[in-house]
Amino acid sequence: MELPTQRYRVTRADLVRYAGASGDFNPIHWSESFAAKVGLPGVIAHGMLTMALVGRAVTTWAGRPDAIVEYGVRFTRPVEVPDTEEGTEVEVSAVAKDTDDPALVRLDLTATCGGVKVLAQAKAVIKRP
């Protein structure tokens, strides 16, 4: 069963706030010139911020944070964040599947930005409501 798509806007201001909260002030998350120097297409979001947004979607679908039993992803592509008020958007979708345990549901997750998948092997296991 497909779950309703969740969308999250990410701006440069979000990157600054996340850097302050996480302590990750790597210049690839705020400096265009540094990002270009290391071969990136531009300033990119923190991978863990992207993972947190997908986790927020899982929590929304689960109905409560303590329903998440397992959660994991692999990072495949960076989320480029342009220096505009709109920033970019991360879109999260999921397909719910039964597990061997009738009390649990597996979510096969997809996260995209600009139509490009940014995570692989993304999945969660949640308790049934």
Side-chain angles (χ1 to χ4, degrees):
M1 169 173 96
E2 285 193 37
L3 300 177
T5 299
Q6 306 290 317
R7 291 175 179 81
Y8 301 99
R9 178 97 9 228
V10 181
T11 65
R12 294 276 180 97
D14 295 320
L15 301 185
V16 170
R17 285 189 285 275
Y18 188 83
S22 69
D24 181 353
F25 294 99
N26 188 322
I28 63 174
H29 303 304
W30 55 268
S31 171
E32 289 284 345
S33 62
F34 187 85
K37 208 180 298 185
V38 297
L40 293 169
V43 168
I44 62 169
H46 303 74
M48 295 304 287
L49 173 57
T50 303
M51 188 176 179
L53 295 174
V54 176
R56 183 187 299 174
V58 172
T59 300
T60 298
W61 292 316
R64 60 188 211 279
D66 66 341
I68 299 172
V69 174
E70 182 182 327
Y71 174 51
V73 306
R74 297 249 173 141
F75 303 105
T76 56
R77 299 259 189 241
V79 172
E80 188 177 351
V81 182
D83 192 11
T84 63
E85 284 187 33
E86 300 82 29
T88 194
E89 186 175 74
V90 174
E91 188 173 286
V92 185
S93 59
V95 175
K97 297 183 177 181
D98 290 332
T99 67
D100 292 338
D101 184 336
L104 302 176
V105 176
R106 175 184 164 147
L107 302 181
D108 291 335
L109 306 165
T110 302
T112 61
C113 182
V116 176
K117 278 180 75 171
V118 296
L119 299 176
Q121 299 177 20
K123 69 173 189 148
V125 176
I126 60 173
K127 296 176 189 172
R128 288 188 188 273

PDB file of all heavy atoms in Angstrom, residues 51-52 54-72 104-105 107 109 123-128:
ATOM      1  N   MET A  51      18.357  12.584   6.204  1.00  0.00           N
ATOM      2  CA  MET A  51      17.878  11.390   6.894  1.00  0.00           C
ATOM      3  C   MET A  51      16.827  11.754   7.950  1.00  0.00           C
ATOM      4  O   MET A  51      15.839  11.040   8.119  1.00  0.00           O
ATOM      5  CB  MET A  51      19.046  10.650   7.533  1.00  0.00           C
ATOM      6  CG  MET A  51      18.671   9.320   8.110  1.00  0.00           C
ATOM      7  SD  MET A  51      20.148   8.462   8.730  1.00  0.00           S
ATOM      8  CE  MET A  51      19.397   6.965   9.359  1.00  0.00           C
ATOM      9  N   ALA A  52      17.027  12.868   8.638  1.00  0.00           N
ATOM     10  CA  ALA A  52      16.067  13.311   9.650  1.00  0.00           C
ATOM     11  C   ALA A  52      14.723  13.678   9.024  1.00  0.00           C
ATOM     12  O   ALA A  52      13.663  13.387   9.596  1.00  0.00           O
ATOM     13  CB  ALA A  52      16.629  14.502  10.427  1.00  0.00           C
ATOM     14  N   VAL A  54      13.433  12.389   6.310  1.00  0.00           N
ATOM     15  CA  VAL A  54      12.779  11.119   5.981  1.00  0.00           C
ATOM     16  C   VAL A  54      12.254  10.473   7.264  1.00  0.00           C
ATOM     17  O   VAL A  54      11.138   9.939   7.289  1.00  0.00           O
ATOM     18  CB  VAL A  54      13.732  10.185   5.205  1.00  0.00           C
ATOM     19  CG1 VAL A  54      13.079   8.840   4.944  1.00  0.00           C
ATOM     20  CG2 VAL A  54      14.153  10.835   3.893  1.00  0.00           C
ATOM     21  N   GLY A  55      13.017  10.562   8.332  1.00  0.00           N
ATOM     22  CA  GLY A  55      12.556  10.054   9.620  1.00  0.00           C
ATOM     23  C   GLY A  55      11.302  10.771  10.098  1.00  0.00           C
ATOM     24  O   GLY A  55      10.409  10.156  10.706  1.00  0.00           O
ATOM     25  N   ARG A  56      11.204  12.062   9.818  1.00  0.00           N
ATOM     26  CA  ARG A  56       9.996  12.826  10.174  1.00  0.00           C
ATOM     27  C   ARG A  56       8.796  12.260   9.413  1.00  0.00           C
ATOM     28  O   ARG A  56       7.700  12.112   9.971  1.00  0.00           O
ATOM     29  CB  ARG A  56      10.170  14.303   9.860  1.00  0.00           C
ATOM     30  CG  ARG A  56       8.958  15.120  10.283  1.00  0.00           C
ATOM     31  CD  ARG A  56       9.026  16.554   9.845  1.00  0.00           C
ATOM     32  NE  ARG A  56      10.164  17.257  10.408  1.00  0.00           N
ATOM     33  CZ  ARG A  56      10.494  18.499  10.075  1.00  0.00           C
ATOM     34  NH1 ARG A  56       9.808  19.152   9.162  1.00  0.00           N
ATOM     35  NH2 ARG A  56      11.538  19.075  10.624  1.00  0.00           N
ATOM     36  N   ALA A  57       8.995  11.932   8.132  1.00  0.00           N
ATOM     37  CA  ALA A  57       7.911  11.339   7.349  1.00  0.00           C
ATOM     38  C   ALA A  57       7.491   9.998   7.955  1.00  0.00           C
ATOM     39  O   ALA A  57       6.292   9.713   8.075  1.00  0.00           O
ATOM     40  CB  ALA A  57       8.342  11.167   5.891  1.00  0.00           C
ATOM     41  N   VAL A  58       8.463   9.186   8.337  1.00  0.00           N
ATOM     42  CA  VAL A  58       8.161   7.887   8.944  1.00  0.00           C
ATOM     43  C   VAL A  58       7.346   8.090  10.223  1.00  0.00           C
ATOM     44  O   VAL A  58       6.355   7.390  10.463  1.00  0.00           O
ATOM     45  CB  VAL A  58       9.452   7.084   9.219  1.00  0.00           C
ATOM     46  CG1 VAL A  58       9.148   5.827  10.031  1.00  0.00           C
ATOM     47  CG2 VAL A  58      10.146   6.728   7.911  1.00  0.00           C
ATOM     48  N   THR A  59       7.736   9.055  11.037  1.00  0.00           N
ATOM     49  CA  THR A  59       6.999   9.348  12.269  1.00  0.00           C
ATOM     50  C   THR A  59       5.572   9.782  11.964  1.00  0.00           C
ATOM     51  O   THR A  59       4.630   9.371  12.643  1.00  0.00           O
ATOM     52  CB  THR A  59       7.725  10.440  13.083  1.00  0.00           C
ATOM     53  OG1 THR A  59       9.035   9.976  13.401  1.00  0.00           O
ATOM     54  CG2 THR A  59       6.993  10.766  14.360  1.00  0.00           C
ATOM     55  N   THR A  60       5.404  10.590  10.925  1.00  0.00           N
ATOM     56  CA  THR A  60       4.067  11.020  10.523  1.00  0.00           C
ATOM     57  C   THR A  60       3.213   9.814  10.146  1.00  0.00           C
ATOM     58  O   THR A  60       2.073   9.679  10.589  1.00  0.00           O
ATOM     59  CB  THR A  60       4.152  12.009   9.341  1.00  0.00           C
ATOM     60  OG1 THR A  60       4.870  13.170   9.769  1.00  0.00           O
ATOM     61  CG2 THR A  60       2.767  12.414   8.844  1.00  0.00           C
ATOM     62  N   TRP A  61       3.770   8.928   9.327  1.00  0.00           N
ATOM     63  CA  TRP A  61       3.013   7.747   8.915  1.00  0.00           C
ATOM     64  C   TRP A  61       2.749   6.811  10.091  1.00  0.00           C
ATOM     65  O   TRP A  61       1.689   6.210  10.174  1.00  0.00           O
ATOM     66  CB  TRP A  61       3.745   6.997   7.809  1.00  0.00           C
ATOM     67  CG  TRP A  61       3.819   7.732   6.512  1.00  0.00           C
ATOM     68  CD1 TRP A  61       2.811   8.426   5.904  1.00  0.00           C
ATOM     69  CD2 TRP A  61       4.946   7.849   5.658  1.00  0.00           C
ATOM     70  NE1 TRP A  61       3.250   8.968   4.725  1.00  0.00           N
ATOM     71  CE2 TRP A  61       4.552   8.633   4.544  1.00  0.00           C
ATOM     72  CE3 TRP A  61       6.256   7.370   5.710  1.00  0.00           C
ATOM     73  CZ2 TRP A  61       5.421   8.937   3.496  1.00  0.00           C
ATOM     74  CZ3 TRP A  61       7.120   7.679   4.669  1.00  0.00           C
ATOM     75  CH2 TRP A  61       6.704   8.462   3.584  1.00  0.00           C
ATOM     76  N   ALA A  62       3.712   6.678  10.990  1.00  0.00           N
ATOM     77  CA  ALA A  62       3.570   5.773  12.135  1.00  0.00           C
ATOM     78  C   ALA A  62       2.593   6.315  13.175  1.00  0.00           C
ATOM     79  O   ALA A  62       2.006   5.556  13.931  1.00  0.00           O
ATOM     80  CB  ALA A  62       4.935   5.513  12.776  1.00  0.00           C
ATOM     81  N   GLY A  63       2.475   7.638  13.221  1.00  0.00           N
ATOM     82  CA  GLY A  63       1.572   8.257  14.181  1.00  0.00           C
ATOM     83  C   GLY A  63       2.225   8.665  15.485  1.00  0.00           C
ATOM     84  O   GLY A  63       1.681   9.455  16.235  1.00  0.00           O
ATOM     85  N   ARG A  64       3.404   8.132  15.742  1.00  0.00           N
ATOM     86  CA  ARG A  64       4.125   8.495  16.971  1.00  0.00           C
ATOM     87  C   ARG A  64       5.579   8.035  16.864  1.00  0.00           C
ATOM     88  O   ARG A  64       5.863   6.999  16.236  1.00  0.00           O
ATOM     89  CB  ARG A  64       3.460   7.905  18.199  1.00  0.00           C
ATOM     90  CG  ARG A  64       3.385   6.408  18.205  1.00  0.00           C
ATOM     91  CD  ARG A  64       2.532   5.891  19.378  1.00  0.00           C
ATOM     92  NE  ARG A  64       2.998   4.606  19.821  1.00  0.00           N
ATOM     93  CZ  ARG A  64       2.690   3.453  19.231  1.00  0.00           C
ATOM     94  NH1 ARG A  64       1.913   3.438  18.165  1.00  0.00           N
ATOM     95  NH2 ARG A  64       3.160   2.313  19.703  1.00  0.00           N
ATOM     96  N   PRO A  65       6.519   8.777  17.455  1.00  0.00           N
ATOM     97  CA  PRO A  65       7.937   8.448  17.315  1.00  0.00           C
ATOM     98  C   PRO A  65       8.328   7.096  17.906  1.00  0.00           C
ATOM     99  O   PRO A  65       9.208   6.416  17.385  1.00  0.00           O
ATOM    100  CB  PRO A  65       8.669   9.571  18.033  1.00  0.00           C
ATOM    101  CG  PRO A  65       7.666  10.570  18.429  1.00  0.00           C
ATOM    102  CD  PRO A  65       6.305  10.010  18.186  1.00  0.00           C
ATOM    103  N   ASP A  66       7.680   6.686  18.989  1.00  0.00           N
ATOM    104  CA  ASP A  66       8.075   5.424  19.623  1.00  0.00           C
ATOM    105  C   ASP A  66       7.578   4.191  18.869  1.00  0.00           C
ATOM    106  O   ASP A  66       7.854   3.063  19.267  1.00  0.00           O
ATOM    107  CB  ASP A  66       7.646   5.381  21.093  1.00  0.00           C
ATOM    108  CG  ASP A  66       6.136   5.362  21.271  1.00  0.00           C
ATOM    109  OD1 ASP A  66       5.398   5.728  20.326  1.00  0.00           O
ATOM    110  OD2 ASP A  66       5.683   4.994  22.369  1.00  0.00           O
ATOM    111  N   ALA A  67       6.880   4.392  17.753  1.00  0.00           N
ATOM    112  CA  ALA A  67       6.427   3.265  16.928  1.00  0.00           C
ATOM    113  C   ALA A  67       7.516   2.794  15.966  1.00  0.00           C
ATOM    114  O   ALA A  67       7.393   1.736  15.360  1.00  0.00           O
ATOM    115  CB  ALA A  67       5.166   3.645  16.154  1.00  0.00           C
ATOM    116  N   ILE A  68       8.586   3.575  15.842  1.00  0.00           N
ATOM    117  CA  ILE A  68       9.666   3.197  14.916  1.00  0.00           C
ATOM    118  C   ILE A  68      10.561   2.168  15.603  1.00  0.00           C
ATOM    119  O   ILE A  68      11.164   2.437  16.635  1.00  0.00           O
ATOM    120  CB  ILE A  68      10.479   4.428  14.470  1.00  0.00           C
ATOM    121  CG1 ILE A  68       9.571   5.420  13.746  1.00  0.00           C
ATOM    122  CG2 ILE A  68      11.640   4.001  13.568  1.00  0.00           C
ATOM    123  CD1 ILE A  68      10.211   6.747  13.435  1.00  0.00           C
ATOM    124  N   VAL A  69      10.653   0.994  14.985  1.00  0.00           N
ATOM    125  CA  VAL A  69      11.439  -0.107  15.527  1.00  0.00           C
ATOM    126  C   VAL A  69      12.815  -0.151  14.869  1.00  0.00           C
ATOM    127  O   VAL A  69      13.814  -0.453  15.509  1.00  0.00           O
ATOM    128  CB  VAL A  69      10.699  -1.447  15.302  1.00  0.00           C
ATOM    129  CG1 VAL A  69      11.535  -2.637  15.725  1.00  0.00           C
ATOM    130  CG2 VAL A  69       9.354  -1.434  15.993  1.00  0.00           C
ATOM    131  N   GLU A  70      12.861   0.173  13.585  1.00  0.00           N
ATOM    132  CA  GLU A  70      14.109   0.113  12.809  1.00  0.00           C
ATOM    133  C   GLU A  70      14.043   1.172  11.714  1.00  0.00           C
ATOM    134  O   GLU A  70      12.979   1.427  11.153  1.00  0.00           O
ATOM    135  CB  GLU A  70      14.220  -1.278  12.177  1.00  0.00           C
ATOM    136  CG  GLU A  70      15.461  -1.530  11.374  1.00  0.00           C
ATOM    137  CD  GLU A  70      15.443  -2.933  10.753  1.00  0.00           C
ATOM    138  OE1 GLU A  70      14.884  -3.863  11.362  1.00  0.00           O
ATOM    139  OE2 GLU A  70      15.991  -3.062   9.648  1.00  0.00           O
ATOM    140  N   TYR A  71      15.203   1.763  11.429  1.00  0.00           N
ATOM    141  CA  TYR A  71      15.257   2.782  10.385  1.00  0.00           C
ATOM    142  C   TYR A  71      16.678   2.854   9.854  1.00  0.00           C
ATOM    143  O   TYR A  71      17.625   2.917  10.636  1.00  0.00           O
ATOM    144  CB  TYR A  71      14.829   4.138  10.957  1.00  0.00           C
ATOM    145  CG  TYR A  71      14.982   5.317  10.023  1.00  0.00           C
ATOM    146  CD1 TYR A  71      14.456   5.294   8.729  1.00  0.00           C
ATOM    147  CD2 TYR A  71      15.659   6.448  10.422  1.00  0.00           C
ATOM    148  CE1 TYR A  71      14.597   6.371   7.875  1.00  0.00           C
ATOM    149  CE2 TYR A  71      15.799   7.543   9.582  1.00  0.00           C
ATOM    150  CZ  TYR A  71      15.266   7.500   8.315  1.00  0.00           C
ATOM    151  OH  TYR A  71      15.410   8.567   7.456  1.00  0.00           O
ATOM    152  N   GLY A  72      16.840   2.825   8.532  1.00  0.00           N
ATOM    153  CA  GLY A  72      18.172   2.921   7.953  1.00  0.00           C
ATOM    154  C   GLY A  72      18.117   3.368   6.504  1.00  0.00           C
ATOM    155  O   GLY A  72      17.117   3.153   5.808  1.00  0.00           O
ATOM    156  N   LEU A 104       4.045  -5.699  13.107  1.00  0.00           N
ATOM    157  CA  LEU A 104       4.960  -4.757  12.466  1.00  0.00           C
ATOM    158  C   LEU A 104       4.653  -4.577  10.982  1.00  0.00           C
ATOM    159  O   LEU A 104       4.128  -5.484  10.337  1.00  0.00           O
ATOM    160  CB  LEU A 104       6.405  -5.245  12.623  1.00  0.00           C
ATOM    161  CG  LEU A 104       6.914  -5.454  14.039  1.00  0.00           C
ATOM    162  CD1 LEU A 104       8.317  -6.040  14.021  1.00  0.00           C
ATOM    163  CD2 LEU A 104       6.872  -4.151  14.830  1.00  0.00           C
ATOM    164  N   VAL A 105       5.037  -3.420  10.458  1.00  0.00           N
ATOM    165  CA  VAL A 105       4.907  -3.091   9.043  1.00  0.00           C
ATOM    166  C   VAL A 105       6.261  -2.595   8.555  1.00  0.00           C
ATOM    167  O   VAL A 105       6.925  -1.814   9.253  1.00  0.00           O
ATOM    168  CB  VAL A 105       3.855  -1.987   8.802  1.00  0.00           C
ATOM    169  CG1 VAL A 105       3.790  -1.582   7.346  1.00  0.00           C
ATOM    170  CG2 VAL A 105       2.499  -2.417   9.303  1.00  0.00           C
ATOM    171  N   LEU A 107       8.308  -0.351   5.838  1.00  0.00           N
ATOM    172  CA  LEU A 107       8.138   0.735   4.889  1.00  0.00           C
ATOM    173  C   LEU A 107       9.353   0.785   3.970  1.00  0.00           C
ATOM    174  O   LEU A 107      10.477   0.959   4.444  1.00  0.00           O
ATOM    175  CB  LEU A 107       7.998   2.083   5.610  1.00  0.00           C
ATOM    176  CG  LEU A 107       6.860   2.215   6.618  1.00  0.00           C
ATOM    177  CD1 LEU A 107       6.860   3.617   7.224  1.00  0.00           C
ATOM    178  CD2 LEU A 107       5.523   1.897   5.993  1.00  0.00           C
ATOM    179  N   LEU A 109      11.147   3.018   1.591  1.00  0.00           N
ATOM    180  CA  LEU A 109      11.140   4.474   1.472  1.00  0.00           C
ATOM    181  C   LEU A 109      11.854   4.942   0.211  1.00  0.00           C
ATOM    182  O   LEU A 109      12.846   4.347  -0.204  1.00  0.00           O
ATOM    183  CB  LEU A 109      11.839   5.085   2.692  1.00  0.00           C
ATOM    184  CG  LEU A 109      11.298   4.640   4.048  1.00  0.00           C
ATOM    185  CD1 LEU A 109      12.276   4.994   5.151  1.00  0.00           C
ATOM    186  CD2 LEU A 109       9.943   5.279   4.293  1.00  0.00           C
ATOM    187  N   LYS A 123      14.692   2.093   4.436  1.00  0.00           N
ATOM    188  CA  LYS A 123      13.577   1.314   4.945  1.00  0.00           C
ATOM    189  C   LYS A 123      13.364   1.615   6.419  1.00  0.00           C
ATOM    190  O   LYS A 123      14.271   2.080   7.115  1.00  0.00           O
ATOM    191  CB  LYS A 123      13.780  -0.178   4.733  1.00  0.00           C
ATOM    192  CG  LYS A 123      14.876  -0.769   5.569  1.00  0.00           C
ATOM    193  CD  LYS A 123      14.922  -2.283   5.436  1.00  0.00           C
ATOM    194  CE  LYS A 123      15.903  -2.821   6.463  1.00  0.00           C
ATOM    195  NZ  LYS A 123      15.566  -4.100   6.960  1.00  0.00           N
ATOM    196  N   ALA A 124      12.164   1.336   6.843  1.00  0.00           N
ATOM    197  CA  ALA A 124      11.822   1.461   8.257  1.00  0.00           C
ATOM    198  C   ALA A 124      10.884   0.318   8.605  1.00  0.00           C
ATOM    199  O   ALA A 124      10.171  -0.200   7.749  1.00  0.00           O
ATOM    200  CB  ALA A 124      11.148   2.784   8.530  1.00  0.00           C
ATOM    201  N   VAL A 125      10.921  -0.067   9.852  1.00  0.00           N
ATOM    202  CA  VAL A 125       9.951  -1.014  10.389  1.00  0.00           C
ATOM    203  C   VAL A 125       9.238  -0.291  11.524  1.00  0.00           C
ATOM    204  O   VAL A 125       9.904   0.288  12.398  1.00  0.00           O
ATOM    205  CB  VAL A 125      10.634  -2.310  10.885  1.00  0.00           C
ATOM    206  CG1 VAL A 125       9.596  -3.239  11.531  1.00  0.00           C
ATOM    207  CG2 VAL A 125      11.355  -3.004   9.748  1.00  0.00           C
ATOM    208  N   ILE A 126       7.908  -0.300  11.470  1.00  0.00           N
ATOM    209  CA  ILE A 126       7.129   0.401  12.487  1.00  0.00           C
ATOM    210  C   ILE A 126       6.091  -0.544  13.091  1.00  0.00           C
ATOM    211  O   ILE A 126       5.703  -1.538  12.485  1.00  0.00           O
ATOM    212  CB  ILE A 126       6.430   1.647  11.902  1.00  0.00           C
ATOM    213  CG1 ILE A 126       5.469   1.271  10.779  1.00  0.00           C
ATOM    214  CG2 ILE A 126       7.457   2.666  11.417  1.00  0.00           C
ATOM    215  CD1 ILE A 126       4.599   2.428  10.264  1.00  0.00           C
ATOM    216  N   LYS A 127       5.677  -0.194  14.304  1.00  0.00           N
ATOM    217  CA  LYS A 127       4.592  -0.941  14.948  1.00  0.00           C
ATOM    218  C   LYS A 127       3.281  -0.539  14.292  1.00  0.00           C
ATOM    219  O   LYS A 127       3.082   0.635  13.955  1.00  0.00           O
ATOM    220  CB  LYS A 127       4.538  -0.601  16.444  1.00  0.00           C
ATOM    221  CG  LYS A 127       5.763  -1.017  17.209  1.00  0.00           C
ATOM    222  CD  LYS A 127       5.667  -0.545  18.644  1.00  0.00           C
ATOM    223  CE  LYS A 127       6.975  -0.770  19.375  1.00  0.00           C
ATOM    224  NZ  LYS A 127       6.950  -0.140  20.718  1.00  0.00           N
ATOM    225  N   ARG A 128       2.407  -1.495  14.116  1.00  0.00           N
ATOM    226  CA  ARG A 128       1.076  -1.188  13.570  1.00  0.00           C
ATOM    227  C   ARG A 128       0.337  -0.300  14.572  1.00  0.00           C
ATOM    228  O   ARG A 128       0.463  -0.480  15.783  1.00  0.00           O
ATOM    229  CB  ARG A 128       0.276  -2.462  13.341  1.00  0.00           C
ATOM    230  CG  ARG A 128       0.766  -3.273  12.179  1.00  0.00           C
ATOM    231  CD  ARG A 128      -0.186  -4.420  11.883  1.00  0.00           C
ATOM    232  NE  ARG A 128       0.394  -5.298  10.873  1.00  0.00           N
ATOM    233  CZ  ARG A 128       0.270  -5.114   9.563  1.00  0.00           C
ATOM    234  NH1 ARG A 128      -0.429  -4.096   9.105  1.00  0.00           N
ATOM    235  NH2 ARG A 128       0.824  -5.942   8.716  1.00  0.00           N
TER     236      ARG A 128
END
